[in-house]
Amino acid sequence: MGKPTVFIDGEAGTTGLQIYQRLAQRSDLELVSIDPEKRKDSVERSHLLNSVDLAILCLPDDAAREAVNGVTNPKVKILDASTAHRTATDWVYGFAELEPGAREAIAQANRVSNPGCYPTGFLACIRPLVSAGLIPRNAALTVNAVSGYSGGGRQMIEAYEATHDGTASAHASVYPYAPYGLGFGHKHVKEMQQYAQIDHAPLFVPAVGDFAQGMLVQIPLPLWSWPTPPSGADLQETLQFYYANQAFVVVAPLNNTSGLRNGNFLEIQTANGSNQVQLFVFANDATQEALLVARLDNLGKGASGAAVQNLNLMLGLPEMAGL
């Protein structure tokens, strides 16, 4: 049996390029690429999509749906990095550490949706605590998060990098910190609610920062407002137990300050270049307040790293290969 073949539809985009770079160094699979001159040739793309063992879609949502509809070969496995199929009932959600049996479901699936970067951080924090009954399913949750500008796609990347190299005005539409999605109803919210198994969608306020990669997802918890407020230790120990022996989810000690700059500031880029999501619990039992924080590389466990992990599982390769 030969090496499994993989085609990245959209390999020139930010996520596609990151995945390509991770896979191109490997000798246990064969990457199939489209001729750049035929990138928009629907016939050639359809041929490649139907000729490989696994296709990775790094496309806008509508284009991803069109690509899936064009796959007629039942042997082709599809890993979709868009948001098009993340809440679809006939697709497997590609977060191997999220719940018992998730890893096995991904390995057996023909259709897997790669999680979003913000939902990865949110779900890593919230799902175990909801499952354990420490967070009420009807809790009103707020998510405050910031990502590097690489998460905003080609136009945002070009805007920031043009400013950095001096070819654009310092007053161009680029800011050190800028909340967005202020009309609410962000496309990640349904994904967050569904897989956290909570009654209400969280109030989600994303932001972009003036740095390329890195992400902090922060979830403040007003524990005093719940019928049975858990302690900080309850929260941290539940997460620690839930992710025991998981290579890509790391839980810090309660109120961990050893990783804080000057003992006060939580760095945002420490997980860059890895496929880890790092979880923190900060709590004050006297005031019954807590803050959950997930730190990850928005292009790592938040995108291309997770895609490579899912690809490995789907093709029966070592899960940590290339990571």
Side-chain angles (χ1 to χ4, degrees):
M1 182 180 295
K3 300 177 184 178
T5 53
V6 177
F7 171 53
I8 305 170
D9 194 358
E11 71 175 40
T14 304
T15 299
L17 181 59
Q18 289 272 330
I19 295 172
Y20 180 88
Q21 290 172 342
R22 289 174 181 267
L23 299 183
Q25 310 300 319
R26 293 174 53 173
S27 60
D28 56 347
L29 49 79
E30 179 183 347
L31 272 178
V32 176
S33 293
I34 193 169
D35 184 329
E37 295 182 358
K38 296 183 177 181
R39 189 169 293 153
K40 296 185 179 180
D41 185 329
S42 59
V43 174
E44 179 65 12
R45 286 179 56 239
S46 178
H47 167 70
L48 293 176
L49 284 167
N50 282 282
S51 66
V52 294
D53 294 302
L54 187 144
I56 305 176
L57 308 181
C58 299
L59 304 167
D61 287 5
D62 288 343
R65 294 185 187 98
E66 181 181 352
V68 171
N69 290 334
V71 175
T72 56
N73 182 350
K75 295 182 180 180
V76 175
K77 298 186 175 187
I78 301 177
L79 174 59
D80 185 7
S82 81
T83 65
H85 300 99
R86 287 184 187 156
T87 57
T89 56
D90 53 345
W91 285 65
V92 171
Y93 192 60
F95 194 157
E97 299 87 358
L98 187 60
E99 61 183 347
R103 183 173 275 104
E104 292 74 19
I106 295 167
Q108 296 169 12
N110 283 331
R111 300 289 185 268
V112 174
S113 59
N114 214 50
C117 50
Y118 288 118
T120 294
F122 173 77
L123 293 169
C125 290
I126 295 298
R127 176 61 180 273
L129 302 177
V130 170
S131 296
L134 296 182
I135 293 180
R137 293 185 186 274
N138 65 351
L141 298 177
T142 300
V143 188
N144 303 298
V146 59
S147 171
Y149 61 77
S150 60
R154 180 178 56 82
Q155 291 183 340
M156 183 178 288
I157 293 171
E158 290 176 353
Y160 272 89
E161 293 185 347
T163 299
H164 291 167
D165 66 20
T167 61
S169 165
H171 298 291
S173 57
V174 177
Y175 303 99
Y177 178 89
Y180 65 95
L182 301 179
F184 303 103
H186 192 284
K187 63 182 180 179
H188 284 328
V189 170
K190 184 179 179 181
E191 178 184 351
M192 291 177 174
Q193 180 182 358
Q194 178 168 315
Y195 295 107
Q197 297 184 343
I198 51 180
D199 296 343
H200 308 288
L203 195 161
F204 175 44
V205 183
V208 64
D210 191 15
F211 50 91
Q213 289 174 241
M215 173 174 283
L216 288 180
V217 179
Q218 305 166 79
I219 307 137
L221 302 179
L223 305 178
W224 52 265
S225 68
W226 299 347
T228 308
S231 67
D234 291 336
L235 299 171
Q236 192 277 340
E237 290 170 6
T238 298
L239 291 173
Q240 187 79 53
F241 179 78
Y242 197 90
Y243 295 116
N245 303 315
Q246 295 286 357
F248 297 129
V249 183
V250 178
V251 181
L254 178 63
N255 293 325
N256 178 55
T257 58
S258 62
L260 303 185
R261 180 161 53 89
N262 298 330
N264 294 302
F265 303 103
L266 185 60
E267 298 280 3
I268 196 169
Q269 297 177 294
T270 306
N272 283 7
S274 77
N275 192 50
Q276 283 189 350
V277 55
Q278 302 167 351
L279 306 183
F280 300 84
V281 178
F282 300 98
N284 184 325
D285 290 343
T287 60
Q288 294 187 318
E289 297 170 289
L291 176 68
L292 308 177
V293 183
R295 179 169 61 193
L296 62 156
D297 184 344
N298 58 290
L299 296 182
K301 185 64 169 170
S304 62
V308 171
Q309 183 181 355
N310 286 324
L311 171 146
N312 290 337
L313 291 168
M314 294 172 74
L315 292 178
L317 302 172
E319 183 177 349
M320 299 185 70
L323 296 170

